[in-house]
Amino acid sequence: MARSDVKPKPSVRKSSAKKSPEQQEDSEFVDVTAEGGERVEPPPPEVVEPDPEMSPEEAEQARKNYLLTRFWISARGYWGSGGDRLAWLLSISLLLLIVTNVGFQYGINVWHRAIFDAIERRDAATVYFLTAVFFPLAIGSTLLGMAQVFARMGIQRRWRAWLTNAVISRWLANGRYYQLNLVGGDHQNPEYRIAEDLRIATDSPVDFVAGVTSAFLSAATFIVVLWTIGGALTITLADSTVTIPGFLVIAAIIYAAIASGSITAIGRSFVQVSENKNQAEAEYRYVLTRVRENGESIALLGGEEEERDGINKTFSKVLQQWARLAGQHMRTTLVSQGSHLIAPVVPILLCAPKFLEGSMTLGQVMQAASAFTIVQTAFGWLVDNYPRLADWNACARRIASLMMSLDGLERAEQGDGIGRIQRGKTEGGAMLSLNDLSVSLDDGTAVVDDTEVVIEPGERLLVAGESGTGKSTLVRALAGLWPWGGGSVNFHPDRRLFMLPQKPYIPSGTLRRAITYPGAAEDWLTEQICDALHKVGLDHLKEKIEEEGPWDQTLSGGEKQRLAFARLLLHNPDIVVLDEATSALDEKSQDKMMDLVIKELPNATIVSVAHRAELEAFHSRKIVLERRKGGAKLVSDVDLIPRKDQRRLLGRFLRHRKAANKAA
């Protein structure tokens, strides 16, 4: 894993005026500039804490409400100055298409009245003429529908691409994809949230806005039609009469209120059920992925039965959540299906008395029936889309939870909350230095405390200590993957660091790509790659460098570590960090790899973490970490190869005196 030079830390300009939670939600992000003046990404929004006086249920509801706010804080940027240049064009086009389509609906509604009136009069010429008129109306409405789908799905596709790019950029920045595994929070299965939840979170709002706009315009247009055609209805009760003005409009509103009220009451738990279902699906997919990724270890240990039990338990949770969701869908379908069946019949029954008495024509009855159905469909839009709204609600919250976890990491990078390890440049000729370095967990618990080390160019340093003393954590801090703690890690300017972990990462694709990772496969000639394979003892792979295959599964642990050393030779870095990089090799192969590194990279500075005592022969210096109360401490720093330069003794003396002063 290659690491580039440290970038300058951004400075943040914030207003000193204290803002209320509402102002914080509505306000712009504060400006952020780097020390050089260049523009960088804005900081994450401040978390709005719930009122301490709230009950747990109220606090949980407030948290869920804020999650939706957090989602829109990022998602609305698609239409902002840094968003998609076609966002507003597509949005305005979609609105115009919806308006035009409603106009065509009105034209077809008028056509219904005219055609049935002509049929009632037995006017053949008018029937033939209206038949000819119908086809342009139908074709125009169809083409408008197609254009509307194109614009709507164009917004959805481009919005998803824009927001996915924004989330993935934040997720991959500064090793946050790795740090999420080390901190608490609701961000499990981020890959599922980005791939699936984000898709739904950007699809549904566009459908919702388009649907609501179309429903509102349709309802407004055809309510006027119903009021005009239906007029007033006079009902005789005993010796008195009751006149109901606009009775068709009132009937449509009452009908829609009953249907919408029923679906709201029945589906009130839809959001929570959808959220639980999505979480169960994500956990099930994660378990299956783990089995695939660790197939060799599971097969060697014969763990199939245990894995099957784990899969069955997780899948049982999925089925339970789907059963609950099916129950919700059944209840909402009862209302929705019944509403669709009854809606076309109601206006005919209401208009029948007027038609029978001769005050309404057949065409007016059919126009009223068509208009009533359109109004009812518009009013009942929630009935048909409540399940999708609930699903969107759950998905948007899951994406927002991931965003909030990334927000926390970003705030920590800017110096808020738990201390951060600083990264800078060494002074003098030192290649690497750790100044008052302490490494802690994200909650502040110390892992390694008060470490002072200066590493000169060309030194080969061995970090030793018992298991659990924080050696690997210290290495992650060197690589910049572990940010929590204090003090600083400093590198010589313009020097490249390359890390060999205990379990080398083998990307998918060709073997050439696996060998040259993280560099581009075409950056090295085939002869250079073959030479590196030969040096690390992988000659049998030379003929396969252009082959694609599951190399992560087919290569043995030892072959993977040898391949990692081949990468090291190709990249030729200035600083090499080996984290148990030879643990899968036998002693002879380990000696060969270490001899190879010293021979091929004679000027490289090496930092190794290892348990094997025989590795001391390949290093010039050894430091030992020992577990202590309050975090592991550096208890020994000895030269394995005698040095003429004794400058480090003075530094050691000063550090001991500093420690004594602290103890006093």
XYZ file of all heavy atoms in Angstrom, residues 6-66:
475
model
N 2.089 14.073 2.998
C 0.984 14.624 3.761
C 0.574 15.965 3.192
O 1.405 16.817 2.902
C 1.416 14.808 5.238
C 0.263 15.345 6.048
C 1.895 13.485 5.804
N -0.737 16.155 3.014
C -1.248 17.422 2.511
C -1.387 18.415 3.649
O -1.570 18.036 4.799
C -2.610 17.212 1.836
C -2.532 16.313 0.605
C -3.902 16.167 -0.005
C -3.837 15.275 -1.241
N -5.155 15.091 -1.845
N -1.329 19.729 3.349
C -1.483 20.701 4.410
C -2.846 20.606 5.055
O -3.855 20.380 4.395
C -1.303 22.050 3.695
C -1.568 21.763 2.270
C -1.127 20.355 2.046
N -2.854 20.747 6.366
C -4.106 20.660 7.103
C -4.959 21.877 6.821
O -4.492 23.003 6.899
C -3.809 20.551 8.606
C -5.072 20.416 9.444
C -4.706 20.370 10.903
C -5.964 20.300 11.753
N -5.663 20.286 13.173
N -6.276 21.691 6.501
C -7.120 22.842 6.223
C -7.427 23.630 7.475
O -7.478 23.090 8.573
C -8.388 22.205 5.650
C -8.399 20.817 6.165
C -6.974 20.422 6.343
N -7.593 24.916 7.272
C -8.027 25.770 8.366
C -9.469 26.152 8.119
O -9.883 26.357 6.995
C -7.161 27.033 8.434
O -7.238 27.732 7.218
N -10.257 26.248 9.181
C -11.692 26.458 9.071
C -12.044 27.829 9.611
O -11.608 28.217 10.680
C -12.451 25.364 9.864
C -13.937 25.538 9.696
C -12.016 23.987 9.417
N -12.859 28.566 8.823
C -13.347 29.875 9.276
C -14.804 29.716 9.657
O -15.649 29.404 8.829
C -13.211 30.913 8.154
C -11.786 31.170 7.726
C -11.715 32.499 6.979
N -12.579 32.538 5.839
C -12.200 32.193 4.611
N -10.989 31.769 4.404
N -13.046 32.265 3.600
N -15.107 29.907 10.933
C -16.471 29.769 11.412
C -16.933 31.068 12.030
O -16.148 31.818 12.595
C -16.566 28.648 12.472
C -16.317 27.257 11.916
C -16.561 26.219 12.981
C -16.362 24.820 12.436
N -16.600 23.792 13.467
N -18.233 31.271 11.941
C -18.815 32.439 12.584
C -18.839 32.219 14.085
O -19.095 31.119 14.568
C -20.244 32.655 12.061
O -20.894 33.629 12.817
N -18.574 33.270 14.855
C -18.564 33.151 16.302
C -19.960 33.173 16.886
O -20.180 32.808 18.032
C -17.751 34.296 16.915
O -18.310 35.546 16.534
N -20.959 33.605 16.109
C -22.322 33.675 16.613
C -22.895 32.276 16.764
O -22.775 31.441 15.887
C -23.197 34.488 15.651
N -23.513 32.036 17.914
C -24.102 30.734 18.163
C -25.427 30.619 17.439
O -26.244 31.520 17.491
C -24.295 30.537 19.674
C -24.715 29.119 20.036
C -24.753 28.949 21.530
C -25.136 27.533 21.897
N -25.186 27.336 23.346
N -25.651 29.472 16.768
C -26.859 29.290 15.978
C -27.754 28.253 16.630
O -27.291 27.318 17.273
C -26.511 28.824 14.545
C -25.678 29.839 13.772
C -25.421 29.325 12.388
C -24.620 30.324 11.564
N -24.354 29.833 10.214
N -29.043 28.437 16.428
C -30.012 27.456 16.888
C -29.980 26.258 15.964
O -29.463 26.329 14.854
C -31.413 28.074 16.886
O -31.807 28.335 15.549
N -30.533 25.102 16.398
C -30.567 23.932 15.515
C -31.254 24.213 14.193
O -30.840 23.731 13.154
C -31.339 22.897 16.356
C -31.079 23.292 17.777
C -30.992 24.795 17.757
N -32.358 25.027 14.221
C -33.041 25.331 12.963
C -32.155 26.140 12.043
O -32.095 25.916 10.834
C -34.330 26.115 13.254
C -35.388 25.296 13.987
C -35.116 25.188 15.479
O -34.169 25.842 15.960
O -35.847 24.437 16.149
N -31.411 27.103 12.613
C -30.517 27.906 11.781
C -29.388 27.056 11.225
O -28.939 27.236 10.104
C -29.954 29.068 12.602
C -30.989 30.134 12.946
C -30.417 31.160 13.905
O -29.637 30.852 14.796
N -30.800 32.400 13.713
N -28.910 26.097 12.036
C -27.827 25.234 11.570
C -28.281 24.393 10.390
O -27.528 24.146 9.458
C -27.370 24.324 12.711
C -26.590 25.068 13.797
C -26.206 24.142 14.939
O -26.680 23.018 15.032
N -25.367 24.614 15.814
N -29.543 23.934 10.429
C -30.034 23.091 9.341
C -30.216 23.889 8.060
O -30.010 23.384 6.965
C -31.363 22.461 9.750
C -31.229 21.436 10.860
C -32.565 20.864 11.285
O -33.565 21.167 10.613
O -32.597 20.130 12.281
N -30.612 25.177 8.204
C -30.921 25.968 7.013
C -29.707 26.726 6.488
O -29.713 27.227 5.371
C -32.034 26.972 7.336
C -33.341 26.251 7.662
O -33.504 25.104 7.201
O -34.161 26.841 8.366
N -28.662 26.870 7.294
C -27.546 27.721 6.909
C -26.634 27.019 5.916
O -26.635 25.807 5.792
C -26.738 28.115 8.143
O -26.186 26.971 8.745
N -25.832 27.822 5.223
C -24.840 27.284 4.295
C -23.706 26.645 5.098
O -23.492 26.948 6.259
C -24.272 28.434 3.449
C -25.320 29.129 2.602
C -25.388 28.543 1.218
O -24.502 27.757 0.879
O -26.320 28.879 0.485
N -22.950 25.761 4.439
C -21.746 25.247 5.077
C -20.752 26.397 5.256
O -20.698 27.321 4.454
C -21.082 24.167 4.206
C -21.892 22.911 4.110
C -21.858 22.161 2.960
C -22.688 22.494 5.154
C -22.594 20.995 2.865
C -23.423 21.331 5.069
C -23.371 20.582 3.921
N -19.929 26.307 6.282
C -18.906 27.333 6.473
C -17.835 27.164 5.406
O -17.630 26.087 4.861
C -18.262 27.215 7.872
C -19.273 27.493 8.947
C -17.651 25.846 8.081
N -17.156 28.272 5.100
C -16.095 28.230 4.093
C -14.868 27.538 4.670
O -14.503 27.735 5.817
C -15.709 29.644 3.651
C -16.811 30.286 2.828
O -17.586 29.534 2.224
O -16.892 31.521 2.820
N -14.209 26.751 3.839
C -12.988 26.071 4.247
C -11.926 26.299 3.186
O -12.170 26.124 2.006
C -13.234 24.543 4.403
C -11.971 23.865 4.878
C -14.356 24.304 5.384
N -10.758 26.727 3.611
C -9.644 26.884 2.675
C -8.412 26.252 3.283
O -8.239 26.217 4.502
C -9.345 28.373 2.389
O -9.110 29.043 3.637
C -10.528 29.023 1.688
N -7.569 25.700 2.424
C -6.306 25.155 2.897
C -5.335 26.297 3.142
O -5.589 27.450 2.816
C -5.749 24.173 1.862
N -4.209 25.974 3.750
C -3.231 27.008 4.084
C -2.736 27.730 2.841
O -2.394 28.891 2.879
C -2.068 26.367 4.843
C -2.485 25.849 6.222
C -1.334 25.164 6.926
O -0.262 25.051 6.309
O -1.507 24.751 8.087
N -2.722 27.011 1.707
C -2.276 27.635 0.468
C -3.341 28.478 -0.205
O -3.083 29.111 -1.224
N -4.568 28.482 0.352
C -5.640 29.289 -0.209
C -6.539 28.558 -1.171
O -7.562 29.083 -1.591
N -6.220 27.292 -1.516
C -7.053 26.583 -2.477
C -8.338 26.109 -1.805
O -8.402 25.886 -0.615
C -6.298 25.384 -3.078
C -5.950 24.273 -2.099
C -4.620 24.506 -1.412
O -4.135 25.657 -1.478
O -4.087 23.551 -0.830
N -9.358 25.941 -2.649
C -10.670 25.537 -2.146
C -10.676 24.037 -1.858
O -10.185 23.249 -2.645
C -11.731 25.868 -3.192
C -13.161 25.500 -2.780
C -13.736 26.492 -1.808
N -15.112 26.176 -1.465
C -15.833 26.879 -0.619
N -15.307 27.935 -0.040
N -17.080 26.538 -0.345
N -11.238 23.640 -0.723
C -11.386 22.225 -0.401
C -12.837 21.965 -0.038
O -13.648 22.873 0.011
C -10.458 21.804 0.769
C -9.010 21.971 0.388
C -10.761 22.626 2.017
N -13.155 20.698 0.208
C -14.541 20.333 0.484
C -15.030 20.992 1.772
O -14.265 21.128 2.722
C -14.664 18.817 0.613
C -14.548 18.089 -0.715
C -15.647 18.470 -1.681
O -16.810 18.534 -1.275
O -15.329 18.737 -2.849
N -16.313 21.407 1.831
C -16.856 21.997 3.051
C -16.924 20.968 4.164
O -16.998 19.770 3.903
C -18.262 22.460 2.637
C -18.616 21.592 1.493
C -17.322 21.321 0.770
N -16.900 21.409 5.423
C -16.963 20.468 6.538
C -18.362 19.905 6.698
O -19.324 20.454 6.171
C -16.583 21.344 7.736
C -17.069 22.701 7.356
C -16.841 22.809 5.873
N -18.500 18.811 7.420
C -19.831 18.231 7.627
C -20.659 19.107 8.551
O -20.127 19.901 9.322
C -19.514 16.882 8.293
C -18.201 17.103 8.967
C -17.439 18.037 8.062
N -21.988 18.990 8.484
C -22.835 19.787 9.371
C -22.701 19.338 10.812
O -22.345 18.190 11.093
C -24.245 19.501 8.829
C -24.138 18.164 8.200
C -22.756 18.102 7.614
N -22.978 20.246 11.730
C -22.955 19.913 13.143
C -24.136 19.002 13.472
O -25.217 19.132 12.917
C -23.036 21.185 13.990
C -21.837 22.119 13.814
C -20.544 21.509 14.326
O -20.630 20.653 15.242
O -19.474 21.857 13.817
N -23.912 18.075 14.402
C -24.975 17.180 14.818
C -25.931 17.931 15.729
O -25.515 18.643 16.641
C -24.393 15.956 15.565
C -25.518 15.061 16.067
C -23.470 15.181 14.658
N -27.224 17.807 15.476
C -28.240 18.422 16.321
C -28.622 17.409 17.394
O -29.252 16.392 17.103
C -29.475 18.836 15.500
C -30.533 19.456 16.403
C -29.071 19.813 14.409
N -28.204 17.663 18.631
C -28.483 16.743 19.719
C -29.934 16.899 20.179
O -30.453 18.006 20.252
C -27.535 17.018 20.895
C -26.064 16.813 20.568
C -25.729 15.359 20.315
O -26.536 14.493 20.700
O -24.671 15.088 19.723
N -30.615 15.782 20.530
C -31.993 15.879 21.025
C -32.044 16.523 22.403
O -31.059 16.513 23.146
C -32.449 14.411 21.077
C -31.181 13.621 21.183
C -30.145 14.402 20.420
N -33.176 17.080 22.737
C -33.379 17.715 24.033
C -33.225 16.668 25.135
O -33.843 15.599 25.079
C -34.782 18.325 24.078
C -34.967 19.235 25.274
O -34.330 18.974 26.317
O -35.744 20.205 25.183
N -32.391 16.941 26.166
C -32.198 15.960 27.247
C -33.495 15.601 27.970
O -33.585 14.549 28.595
C -31.216 16.668 28.190
C -30.531 17.683 27.348
C -31.545 18.124 26.342
N -34.492 16.483 27.903
C -35.744 16.235 28.603
C -36.670 15.300 27.825
O -37.722 14.915 28.326
C -36.459 17.558 28.874
C -35.674 18.495 29.789
C -36.426 19.788 30.062
O -37.539 19.947 29.507
O -35.903 20.624 30.825
N -36.288 14.939 26.598
C -37.117 14.038 25.798
C -37.098 12.625 26.382
O -36.113 12.188 26.974
C -36.613 13.976 24.350
C -36.869 15.212 23.522
S -36.266 14.952 21.822
C -36.780 16.479 21.046
N -38.186 11.921 26.170
C -38.219 10.502 26.511
C -37.391 9.729 25.484
O -37.109 10.247 24.400
C -39.660 9.998 26.501
O -40.193 10.052 25.185
N -36.994 8.496 25.799
C -36.216 7.716 24.814
C -36.929 7.573 23.470
O -36.284 7.630 22.422
C -36.052 6.349 25.512
C -36.135 6.659 26.969
C -37.107 7.793 27.085
N -38.256 7.404 23.510
C -39.002 7.271 22.256
C -38.968 8.576 21.460
O -38.796 8.570 20.238
C -40.453 6.875 22.538
C -40.618 5.480 23.144
C -40.269 5.448 24.623
O -40.143 6.540 25.238
O -40.107 4.332 25.164
N -39.129 9.704 22.170
C -39.098 11.000 21.495
C -37.711 11.296 20.940
O -37.569 11.839 19.842
C -39.527 12.104 22.466
C -40.991 12.044 22.868
C -41.334 13.051 23.948
O -40.411 13.458 24.709
O -42.500 13.443 24.048
N -36.671 10.928 21.711
C -35.301 11.148 21.244
C -35.008 10.312 20.003
O -34.356 10.781 19.063
C -34.301 10.809 22.355
N -35.507 9.068 19.983
C -35.295 8.216 18.815
C -36.014 8.774 17.591
O -35.470 8.760 16.481
C -35.799 6.802 19.119
C -35.701 5.825 17.957
C -34.284 5.559 17.506
O -33.344 5.897 18.257
O -34.110 5.025 16.393
N -37.228 9.295 17.792
C -37.956 9.888 16.680
C -37.266 11.142 16.174
O -37.192 11.399 14.965
C -39.388 10.216 17.108
C -40.279 10.694 15.965
C -40.379 9.693 14.838
O -40.574 8.497 15.069
N -40.246 10.157 13.605
N -36.720 11.945 17.119
C -35.982 13.146 16.719
C -34.735 12.766 15.926
O -34.382 13.429 14.944
C -35.597 13.961 17.952
N -34.077 11.677 16.335
C -32.895 11.211 15.600
C -33.271 10.805 14.188
O -32.578 11.135 13.219
C -32.263 10.029 16.338
C -30.948 9.541 15.722
C -30.502 8.246 16.342
N -31.323 7.146 15.887
C -31.106 6.462 14.757
N -30.099 6.796 13.964
N -31.889 5.462 14.398
N -34.398 10.088 14.046
C -34.827 9.651 12.722
C -35.191 10.848 11.848
O -34.888 10.865 10.649
C -36.014 8.698 12.853
C -35.647 7.342 13.422
C -36.849 6.412 13.472
C -36.455 5.029 13.959
N -37.614 4.106 14.004
N -35.840 11.828 12.445
C -36.184 13.032 11.679
C -34.933 13.756 11.206
O -34.869 14.264 10.082
C -37.052 13.963 12.515
C -38.429 13.381 12.788
O -38.889 12.506 12.065
N -39.075 13.855 13.832
N -33.929 13.816 12.080
C -32.693 14.495 11.692
C -31.972 13.735 10.581
O -31.311 14.348 9.730
C -31.758 14.659 12.888
C -30.448 15.302 12.493
C -30.387 16.667 12.214
C -29.296 14.546 12.348
C -29.206 17.259 11.820
C -28.108 15.126 11.947
C -28.068 16.488 11.684
O -26.892 17.069 11.279
